[in-house]
Amino acid sequence: MTKPISCLVVDDEPLAVELIEQYIQKVPQLACVGSCWNALEAFEILKQQQVDLIFLDIQMPELSGIEFVKSLPSPPSIIFTTAYRDYAVESYELDVVDYLLKPITFSRFFKSVNKFLAKWESHVGEVSTLVVPAPTPSFLFVNSQRKQVKVALDEVLYVESIKDYVYIHLPHKSVQTKDTITEFEQKLPPFFLRVHRSFILNTRKISAFNAHDIELEGKEIQIPIGISYKKEVMAFLEGLG
């Protein structure tokens, strides 16, 4: 059996680390051997074990991702992750595999990993074939009021968490199901975006936004942007234009 490709996740945002770790788990060829919140911790990990691929945030305290790569005599393969477009040119001068702009969807992550594997195969002389992800679902069945209710995902405006329940808001009704918003988020396709600890919205329904909240089509409601989500959400929203 081919040895998994060892991956390290370096990012000062816990939510970003958790997301990349989840994505790595979905790809059989990859194995996450560690995660840390800054470049100094990453340096210590590299001294202790072999790492083939680093998912590396650029803007971090004390030492940036770019400065960290430049400090390594023989760096592993690097995929930069950042909420800022300004570093793209400088990062590619370092011969990195890819440059992922946050918020990172699984489809974009998957494309980046395929790009890495193409280079990896030529280096080790092995062929690594990724499992093709399942097609994006068009609906979900959720347990609501003792029955399985079909919910068309493209019609969903937003998802809201209230205590132990998740409310799926559609144009003319809401469907209630007992679930945590974090667990429910994993069932949703990439066009849904977590913008607050209590809200996930359908990005196809966005009609307007500012630095504090987002308006949705056909619904006179403003979805707040959580402080801990703001950097990634604003980077995504600014990229819509």
Side-chain angles (χ1 to χ4, degrees), residues 27-106:
V27 182
Q29 285 82 354
L30 305 183
C32 184
V33 297
S35 59
C36 53
W37 292 7
N38 60 64
L40 299 180
E41 292 179 16
F43 184 73
E44 292 301 315
I45 292 175
L46 291 178
K47 290 196 298 184
Q48 297 172 17
Q49 65 182 88
Q50 174 68 33
V51 173
D52 301 316
L53 175 62
I54 303 180
F55 293 91
L56 179 63
D57 187 22
I58 291 181
Q59 191 169 34
M60 294 184 294
E62 298 181 357
L63 192 67
S64 74
I66 289 176
E67 292 170 335
F68 174 61
V69 174
K70 289 180 177 179
S71 73
L72 299 175
S74 300
S77 295
I78 304 292
I79 295 178
F80 276 130
T81 61
T82 181
Y84 302 96
R85 301 175 184 272
D86 301 343
Y87 299 105
V89 174
E90 187 177 2
S91 68
Y92 280 120
E93 290 176 352
L94 297 175
D95 193 30
V96 300
V97 175
D98 208 350
Y99 179 95
L100 297 180
L101 189 65
K102 299 177 180 177
I104 301 166
T105 64
F106 179 69

Side-chain angles (χ1 to χ4, degrees), residues 100-132:
L100 297 180
L101 189 65
K102 299 177 180 177
I104 301 166
T105 64
F106 179 69
S107 60
R108 182 65 183 88
F109 171 89
F110 183 77
K111 181 179 180 180
S112 184
V113 170
N114 264 326
K115 187 176 180 180
F116 162 75
L117 283 179
K119 296 180 68 173
W120 181 259
E121 291 163 7
S122 63
H123 174 68
V124 301
E126 297 177 352
V127 176
S128 300
T129 304
L130 282 178
V131 177
V132 178

